[in-house]
Amino acid sequence: MSVVKNALPEADLKVVGEALQGALVDLGLVAKQVHWNVVGPRFRSVHLQLDEVVTSARTHSDVVAERASALGITPDGRAATVASSSAISGVPEGWVKDVDAVRILVDGLSAVITRMRERIQTTADPDPVTQDILIAVTGDLEKHHWMFAAENA
C-alpha cells in the first residue's frame, strides 16, 4: 500500500517503479571501493576522477529515490539489495592497480549505461518525467565512461 497517491495507472506505476529501482541499484557504483584501494603511477588522477564518479552517482541516486518516493514507490537502497541486483561485477579484494581500476570503471559504467538506456525506452510512454531523469543520469554516466575509457586508450 502506498501512502502517496499519483495520477499514474497501476500498470504504468509498476513499469516506472522497476526502472527507478533498477537505476537506484545500478547507481550504487563500486567507485568508492576502487577509490580507496587504487595504486600505481596514475594514482592521484584516477583517485580524483573516481571521486567525481562517486559524487555524481550519489547525487543521481538521491534524485532517483526521491522520484520513486514522489510516485509512492518505496526506494530500496539497502546494501544487500544493491549487491544482489547491480549490473556491476565485484571489485577484487585488496589493492587495485590504476590500469585495472580504470578497466573496472569502464566495464562497470558500460553495463550500467546499457541498462539505463533500456529504462529510458521503457519509461517513455508511462512517465516522461521519470524518463527525463534517467536521460540526465545516463548522459552524466556516459561522460564519466568516456573519460575513463580515454585513460587506457
Side-chain angles (χ1 to χ4, degrees), residues 4-128:
V4 177
K5 302 298 179 200
N6 64 72
L8 290 180
E10 196 62 36
D12 289 350
L13 192 60
K14 182 177 180 351
V15 169
V16 172
E18 288 172 1
L20 287 167
Q21 180 58 40
L24 181 62
V25 165
D26 283 345
L27 286 168
L29 293 171
V30 297
K32 202 60 173 176
Q33 180 65 28
V34 176
H35 165 90
W36 292 322
N37 292 294
V38 66
V39 294
R42 296 182 307 172
F43 162 79
R44 182 163 173 73
S45 65
V46 172
H47 183 81
L48 294 173
Q49 194 173 356
L50 286 163
D51 265 341
E52 293 172 11
V53 174
V54 170
T55 299
S56 179
R58 286 179 178 164
T59 299
H60 287 305
S61 292
D62 197 43
V63 171
V64 166
E66 287 177 357
R67 177 66 183 156
S69 293
L71 294 173
I73 302 161
T74 307
D76 185 358
R78 296 174 297 164
T81 302
V82 171
S84 68
S85 306
S86 179
I88 299 175
S89 301
V91 175
E93 193 173 320
W95 303 116
V96 179
K97 293 291 292 175
D98 50 9
V99 173
D100 296 331
V102 169
R103 181 191 42 78
I104 289 167
L105 262 292
V106 168
D107 292 349
L109 286 167
S110 181
V112 170
I113 289 164
T114 297
R115 288 172 51 148
M116 293 299 286
R117 287 189 159 275
E118 292 166 2
R119 293 178 187 114
I120 288 168
Q121 294 302 315
T122 62
T123 56
D125 290 328
D127 188 22

